[in-house]
Amino acid sequence: MSTPLLEVRGLSKHYFGLTAVDALSFQVEAGTIVGLIGPNGSGKSTSIDCISGFQKADAGEWFLDGRSLTGLAPHRIARAGLTRTFQTVRAYDELSLLENLCVASQESDGAGWLASLRRSAEVRDKEARAAARGRLLLETVGLSHYADAPAAILSYGQRKLLAIAASMMAHPRVVVLDEPVAGVNPTMVRRIEQVIQQLNSEGVTLVIVEHNVDFVMNLCQRVVVLESGQKIADGPPGLIRSDPRVLAAYLGQAGATAYEAQGR
Ligand SMILES: Nc1ncnc2c1ncn2[C@@H]1O[C@H](COP(=O)(O)OP(=O)(O)OP(=O)(O)O)[C@@H](O)[C@H]1O
Ligand SMILES: [Mg+2]
């Protein structure tokens, strides 16, 4: 069997007395889109915070193309090929869209302030490459007409698109999107879906955390379901939709029984 592009083994994270993620294991094959779903507080964000290095895991190992990412800092993980967006969109309002992308590039690069201070030829060359990549990605997400406008003018949905573009600056192999369409109108949902499909067709592997189950079921080849930090299902969307444990997690046991009794 081929090595999965991303492999997570036995990931656990505790906050005080609470087990937020409990021995979570899953794999993501190269070129696929995998969904990570589950009720509020089931541990989705915590899992990806650990995998991307923004939280320290208590146990577990994770690998990108067989190379361990366990315990590395976020910029090292980004450099290794895994980046992410955040559930709460972050942008520097006073900076232009292009500048926002260049900052993202610098953050994932981890080159540090000393190198930037020297402004060596190498640094200037890196900046030029980042700007070129930024312009290309703004085109991909359909925001190139705003390249030099401050991020403050963006709508909420456009901020989500900017965040996706920012996550792509480091040429990642895997991008993890935390709630890419939460709170976004249906037209923008469709737009974001198209962007994700385009990135995937260009060879990017994606993990999508979302509450919009239809969105996940349409896009993903596989769906992993969490409940109270534990994986309760892992499989193709068709099977996940009718899995009794998944229905119970979302609808409560009584709701799931009624749903099944209706013949779905
Ligand atoms: N920094 C923290 N300190 C303490 N507890 C936390 C912290 N972050 C998350 N938790 C707790 O860990 C559990 C999992 O939270 P997490 O944010 O991972 O869930 P989620 O599945 O992403 O939920 P949502 O769908 O609402 O975004 C929750 O009970 C939450 O209260
Ligand atoms: Mg979350």
Side-chain angles (χ1 to χ4, degrees):
M1 222 183 93
S2 64
T3 313
L5 182 56
L6 175 66
E7 178 168 22
V8 177
R9 290 190 209 147
L11 178 68
S12 292
K13 173 73 183 174
H14 310 280
Y15 289 118
F16 311 103
L18 175 94
T19 303
V21 184
D22 192 2
L24 172 66
S25 298
F26 66 95
Q27 301 185 344
V28 178
E29 300 300 324
T32 59
I33 308 180
V34 168
L36 184 59
I37 66 171
N40 288 122
S42 56
K44 305 179 298 295
S45 293
T46 304
S47 301
I48 65 174
D49 286 348
C50 292
I51 294 164
S52 57
F54 287 84
Q55 282 283 352
K56 192 180 172 317
D58 293 317
E61 299 176 295
W62 53 106
F63 303 86
L64 188 70
D65 212 8
R67 180 184 160 197
S68 177
L69 301 180
T70 315
L72 297 182
H75 71 274
R76 287 193 184 278
I77 292 178
R79 242 191 286 171
L82 184 145
T83 60
R84 51 89 51 94
T85 64
F86 290 86
Q87 188 167 343
T88 314
V89 279
R90 303 166 171 197
Y92 298 101
D93 270 359
E94 67 285 7
L95 299 185
S96 73
L97 270 58
L98 196 56
E99 286 166 340
N100 265 277
L101 295 186
C102 291
V103 169
S105 171
Q106 216 176 12
E107 284 170 354
S108 64
D109 189 53
W113 57 272
L114 192 59
S116 308
L117 209 62
R118 282 199 201 114
R119 291 193 56 82
S120 62
E122 194 192 338
V123 170
R124 281 196 299 275
D125 184 49
K126 227 188 247 178
E127 285 173 356
R129 272 186 280 133
R133 172 122 182 113
R135 288 196 186 278
L136 189 77
L137 287 167
L138 286 176
E139 231 164 85
T140 304
V141 301
L143 291 175
S144 35
H145 50 297
Y146 285 149
D148 300 313
I153 67 158
L154 295 183
S155 73
Y156 186 69
Q158 288 170 328
R159 280 165 190 266
K160 296 261 186 192
L161 285 169
L162 180 65
I164 294 174
S167 74
M168 287 298 302
M169 284 299 286
H171 299 268
R173 299 181 71 191
V174 179
V175 178
V176 185
L177 304 177
D178 197 355
E179 303 206 8
V181 296
V184 161
N185 75 60
T187 311
M188 185 55 93
V189 170
R190 182 74 199 115
R191 175 87 202 99
I192 292 173
E193 186 176 336
Q194 286 165 346
V195 167
I196 291 171
Q197 275 165 334
Q198 183 175 338
L199 294 175
N200 184 238
S201 73
E202 290 168 5
V204 181
T205 301
L206 294 114
V207 177
I208 299 178
V209 172
E210 245 309 321
H211 282 289
N212 183 333
V213 174
D214 288 335
F215 179 82
V216 168
M217 297 294 177
N218 280 339
L219 267 176
C220 299
Q221 287 91 50
R222 251 195 41 240
V223 179
V224 173
V225 189
L226 291 186
E227 186 192 18
S228 306
Q230 294 185 342
K231 185 168 89 170
I232 58 164
D234 183 347
L239 286 180
I240 295 297
R241 268 188 194 283
S242 54
D243 187 303
R245 285 192 70 181
V246 178
L247 291 172
Y250 273 93
L251 305 172
Q253 192 54 59
T257 309
Y259 185 73
E260 284 184 289
Q262 283 170 12
R264 298 188 187 102

